[in-house]
């Protein structure tokens, strides 16, 4: 962990890491939109019909938490945060959903879905046959 920070510095580190982690998940969500659009093309359901705000919020929250934890463990001087550290926080947020999904699939594996097969940002048909995207809707 970092040095002896004040409470205000810890809040800044957590906020910076969290926002950058959420940006990473935002990038991943854009990729998910593209996959969702590709999967929905030619079907009777439109992309906006497949998007739910609740399922959009969870990955962004995961990215925020992952970025905040990464920031708290890697930033040693809040006044001297480098561009590489910022990109590392974005990468932590981007990859957090994959890590959590892989971890959870080992704890409680689903009989019908292989680990990583139905991940955040991967379009797959749902019960009605319409495309469903874990990160978006």
């Amino acid at each position: 962990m970092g040095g002896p920070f004040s409470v205000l510095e810890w809040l800044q580190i957590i906020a910076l890491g969290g926002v950058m982690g959420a940006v990473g998940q935002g990038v991943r969500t854009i990729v998910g939109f593209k996959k969702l659009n590709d999967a929905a093309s030619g079907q009777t359901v439109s992309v906006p019909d497949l998007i739910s705000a609740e399922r959009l919020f969870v990955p962004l929250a995961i990215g925020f938490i992952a970025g905040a934890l990464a920031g708290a463990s890697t930033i040693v001087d809040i006044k001297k945060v480098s561009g590489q550290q910022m990109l590392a926080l974005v990468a932590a947020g981007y990859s957090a959903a994959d890590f959590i999904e892989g971890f959870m699939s080992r704890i409680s594996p689903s009989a019908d879905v292989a680990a990583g097969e139905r991940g955040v940002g991967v379009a797959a048909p749902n019960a009605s046959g319409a495309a469903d995207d874990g990160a978006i809707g």
Side-chain angles (χ1 to χ4, degrees):
M1 289 263 200
F5 297 125
S6 69
V7 171
L8 181 59
E9 289 172 323
W10 275 116
L11 290 174
Q12 290 173 333
I13 290 169
I14 291 168
L16 174 66
V19 168
M20 296 310 292
V23 166
Q25 277 297 326
V27 169
R28 185 181 172 102
T29 300
I30 292 170
V31 173
F33 277 132
K34 166 73 170 91
K35 290 180 179 181
L36 185 63
N37 187 41
D38 292 347
S41 64
Q43 295 197 15
T44 59
V45 181
S46 67
V47 173
D49 293 336
L50 297 174
I51 299 171
S52 74
E54 298 85 22
R55 291 184 64 192
L56 180 60
F57 175 75
V58 172
L60 292 175
I62 290 170
F64 185 94
I65 293 167
L69 291 173
S73 65
T74 60
I75 295 176
V76 294
D77 187 356
I78 188 64
K79 295 176 179 121
K80 296 180 183 176
V81 177
S82 70
Q84 286 182 330
Q85 286 175 307
M86 299 283 278
L87 287 175
L89 296 174
V90 169
Y94 184 93
S95 62
D98 279 337
F99 173 78
I100 290 172
E101 178 187 300
F103 179 73
M104 293 307 293
S105 69
R106 293 189 189 280
I107 291 175
S108 60
S110 175
D112 61 340
V113 180
E117 182 178 306
R118 175 97 173 45
V120 173
V122 178
N126 62 18
S128 67
D132 188 15
D133 187 282
I136 310 304

